[in-house]
Amino acid sequence: MSHDSVHSTDESAKLYSQFLAKNYSTQAITLVKGKGTRVWDAHGKAYLDFASGIAVNSVGHAHPVMVKRISEQAEKLIHVSNLYRNEPQAQLVESLSKYCGPGRFLFCNSGAEANEALLKLARLHGKKKSGVEGKCIGVVVAEKAFHGRTFGGMSATPQEKIQSGFRPLLTGFSSAPLNDIAAWDKAISATDTAAVLLETIQGEGGIFPADPVFLQQLQKICQERNVLLLIDEIQCGIGRTGKFFAYEFSGIKPDAIAMAKGLGGGFPIGAIWMAPPYDELFQPGSHGTTFGGGALAAAAALSVIEIIESENLVARVAAQSPAWHESLKNLAQKYPAIIKEIRGAGYMVGVGMNVDPLPVVAALREAGLLAVPASGIAIRLLPPLNATVAELNEAIEIFDRVLSTWKVA
Ligand SMILES: *Cc1c(COP(=O)(O)O)cnc(C)c1O
């Protein structure tokens, strides 16, 4: 095996096409290195990384504090199983509880697993509420939602392209249009519904925020009918919107929260937080995962929060976003045939497109900007939380340059 980078890019392409499952339409570059908001491919070409591993690299690439904490922990203790305590997991719950309030955490390794834990919590709540196992199992989700690729996650994701080929899925799920409170009011039953589950800002669906007033009304309905309000902050949480959690804009108090993506800054970790009294529903033996909250993963997440706090990144995102959004809106005005509208909050932006986003994303990449398509209708810009104003503006310049020669079919 050669480590020469130009050689390895051709070699990687060959190995990918020969041996990797075909579930991803991987783009034709091999990334070998990252620093801050930039990544480099095997030919040495630099890109501004506004994909951030899909809202994962929250403090950019190779942040020195994160690298140091991970290497120190790797030398000390990588994994011991949840049969024993480890120090980073203890420190992590202390650190996260500042943002969530009183309650309990359960760790896992991905977003889908965090949502699985929420769905299991819903089942336990429904059992307690109705007094019968299997009676109160309803979960209401939003149309266009995305909650992951496991069977629970797919069942909670009412999208043909996600569910197709994998039915039968779990029963008990129904969906209602986001922000249409009358539809949710109708869909939520005091006897049959255990929980509602929704993203504060839909990510994969194309960046559609839940309206704060809608969330407040939804919380009221849930409280009246003893239905859990489960909030999926996997993509929009951990500072991305200019609040630590995006639901904070609405003032609601979720009964449980799912987080993952940005939490580990690139190291796989997921978690749920549960409010009292629901944090008592999981008892010994009722749930678990071998790797969840492992020492190394917890140390990585702890370093992400340490960086977010010491560099004041949540406030920085909030402060830098209005001017950036303004520039993006100017771009939308300049190219009305291509861009429909700008959606989202903070560093979770959806450029709603009037044209197919895929070729535009490819052209942006060629021009040195990585971005993420969403649902065939939007281009997501998800810079790391420590992206500078100069980098935010550079992304707009690249976008402008690419669109200035774009031929609308
Ligand atoms: C990415 C995502 C998931 C699934 O997370 P994985 O880590 O890919 O399993 C679930 N919900 C939302 C809102 C997401 O953005």
Side-chain angles (χ1 to χ4, degrees), residues 24 54-56 109-115 145-150 157 198-204 232-236 258 260-261 269 348 380:
Y24 276 104
I54 314 186
V56 164
N109 316 287
S110 67
E113 281 175 81
N115 284 335
F146 180 81
H147 295 295
R149 302 288 196 150
T150 53
T157 299
L198 76 164
E199 299 153 89
T200 317
I201 300 178
Q202 294 185 328
E204 302 303 308
D232 181 342
E233 288 264 342
I234 290 165
Q235 190 161 150
C236 58
K261 291 199 165 89
I269 184 168
M348 184 175 183
R380 273 176 286 177

